[in-house]
Amino acid sequence: MRAPAVRVPEELSARVPVEQRGPDLDRDGVRLLVSHGTEVSHHVFGELPGLLRAGDLLVVNTSPTLAAAVDGRVGHARVVVHFSTRGDDGRWAVELREPDGSGTTRARADVTGTTRARAETVEGRGCGGPAGTKVRLPGGARLVLEEPLSARGERLWWARVSGAEVPALLREHGRPIRYSYTERDQPLSVYQTVFALPPGDGAGSAEMPSAARPFTARLVAELVSRGVQFAPVTLHTGVASAESHEPPYPERFAVPEASARLINAVRAGDGRVVAVGTTAVRAVESAVGSDGVVRARAGWTDLVVTPERGVRVVEGLLTGLHEPEASHLLMLEAVAGRAAIDRGYDAAVRGRYLWHEFGDVHLLLP
């Protein structure tokens, strides 16, 4: 896609959560950019109830965030394992990265110092491999890479873990995945949204469904009191690439029967279906049939929402601010149109909005 004609200055990265920027701030203190078509207005997130109306429906992702980064060793080399997605056969999709000396990670380098992303071209290998790579994990656990997750590349691998159950390993030895634009490690609670529900199988999201982070219990109660409804869905998001913007990999999702019925009822009335986050869009758009009816569905989705495919259910979207090269912008364009995205992102840069998971948010309405 053609990226928005903006450059996001490095200083617009949100380095800490909003509640750590001032003594009187809560999660709903982030700024809210609102696009009604190509008309832009500026708010704080706490004003959201006044921007929606009775009968509107917010589709929210209940996936919890995992402490998905675990230290390990390949031979004598230190690595960081990012656990991405639990497979149906008990394996996990993982990315192997190396410490960067500042508390975060970078793509692994081979013995010549070439990044493995480059080595994929040179040697036919990828960021994590080769197959058979063994990783020693804390507590005597072991991980073995078996095969790439996708034919598109070898950044993510299916791996088998022995000597420990992965959910217990993450609870005891894991920490939230952190990228270099953030200032310091944060407790896992900082990465949980008010909608997160712990699943019985220990699955969850490798990275926070961050569009929902600004919601507080008080704000949810106010929205409900004004007649705004909520439809929970689940999509366990995998790890993003810090070095390149790839289309999303297949992810596990579920749309419950009650949520499907509620979405269909709102669409038949006067309310608007507004997804909270691109993960919620992917889940609900994966559950709609060719007849336009949303049905209960669970499994894996490889859906990539593009302007060509369009959206069949979602009329509005609450989302973070994405890098201009990010594949998520295709979904935003499908929901709101190219002109609205260009106008909104220009206003966000000029208005000094903050990017990334601890940053400000963007509400796209018809």
Side-chain angles (χ1 to χ4, degrees):
M1 67 173 291
R2 178 179 61 85
V6 298
R7 184 186 66 83
V8 182
E10 185 178 348
E11 64 267 22
L12 295 188
S13 294
R15 304 195 180 280
V16 296
V18 62
E19 63 271 23
Q20 296 177 15
R21 298 178 209 151
D24 300 323
L25 293 174
D26 202 348
R27 289 188 176 203
D28 59 5
V30 295
R31 298 173 69 192
L32 175 63
L33 180 73
V34 178
S35 294
H36 281 277
T38 57
E39 296 299 317
V40 174
S41 58
H42 303 274
H43 307 266
V44 295
F45 193 78
E47 298 173 18
L48 180 66
L51 298 166
L52 300 176
R53 60 194 188 211
D56 284 345
L57 177 68
L58 294 175
V59 181
V60 297
N61 187 1
T62 63
S63 178
T65 307
L66 301 174
V70 178
D71 293 324
R73 287 188 177 271
V74 175
H76 296 294
R78 294 174 58 207
V79 297
V80 178
V81 182
H82 287 179
F83 284 85
S84 179
T85 306
R86 185 182 66 81
D88 294 334
D89 59 0
R91 297 186 298 176
W92 280 75
V94 303
E95 180 181 11
L96 298 193
R97 296 176 67 83
E98 63 181 22
D100 64 0
S102 62
T104 54
T105 62
R106 60 191 170 212
R108 290 180 70 207
D110 64 14
V111 293
T112 66
T114 305
T115 64
R116 286 192 178 270
R118 171 63 176 155
E120 181 178 19
T121 302
V122 175
E123 302 175 8
R125 300 191 305 184
C127 298
T133 296
K134 298 178 175 62
V135 184
R136 301 193 307 278
L137 298 171
R142 298 286 188 272
L143 178 150
V144 180
L145 300 185
E146 293 191 348
E147 60 182 336
L149 181 65
S150 169
R152 292 204 307 261
E154 299 188 2
R155 182 174 67 87
L156 292 175
W157 286 70
W158 285 116
R160 200 169 295 277
V161 176
S162 60
E165 294 295 325
V166 172
L169 178 73
L170 300 186
R171 285 194 300 270
E172 186 170 354
H173 300 288
R175 61 186 179 276
I177 290 173
R178 177 166 81 89
Y179 293 116
S180 59
Y181 50 78
T182 55
E183 186 173 288
R184 56 181 177 270
D185 285 343
Q186 299 283 351
L188 184 60
S189 59
V190 166
Y191 290 87
Q192 300 296 5
T193 75
V194 72
F195 305 111
L197 297 174
D201 60 2
S205 289
E207 297 184 0
M208 172 177 53
S210 55
R213 190 182 189 280
F215 285 90
T216 63
R218 180 201 60 78
L219 188 65
V220 170
E222 183 178 351
L223 286 162
V224 171
S225 72
R226 290 180 177 233
V228 176
Q229 304 177 85
F230 290 83
V233 299
T234 301
L235 186 135
H236 299 311
T237 184
V239 297
S241 169
E243 286 75 41
S244 61
H245 297 286
E246 305 164 319
Y249 286 88
E251 293 169 321
R252 292 174 61 198
F253 82 104
V255 175
E257 175 68 32
S259 293
R261 290 182 179 180
L262 184 54
I263 292 167
N264 290 328
V266 169
R267 294 182 68 219
D270 296 328
R272 298 170 294 185
V273 177
V274 179
V276 178
T278 58
T279 59
V281 176
R282 197 180 197 202
V284 74
E285 291 289 332
S286 297
V288 61
S290 57
D291 57 359
V293 177
V294 178
R295 296 177 174 84
R297 189 177 171 196
W300 291 82
T301 178
D302 59 1
L303 176 66
V304 179
V305 178
T306 64
E308 291 73 28
R309 188 267 187 191
V311 286
R312 301 171 184 171
V313 179
V314 172
E315 299 165 80
L317 173 61
L318 178 70
T319 184
L321 293 165
H322 303 280
E323 293 288 351
E325 300 84 8
S327 59
H328 290 306
L329 287 175
L330 290 170
M331 182 184 291
L332 272 61
E333 185 177 343
V335 173
R338 185 73 217 186
I341 303 306
D342 284 343
R343 182 72 61 87
Y345 271 64
D346 179 64
V349 171
R350 287 189 289 106
R352 310 295 290 175
Y353 280 69
L354 296 181
W355 258 250
H356 302 303
E357 67 266 32
F358 297 142
D360 299 316
V361 283
H362 188 189
L363 176 62
L364 300 158
L365 292 174

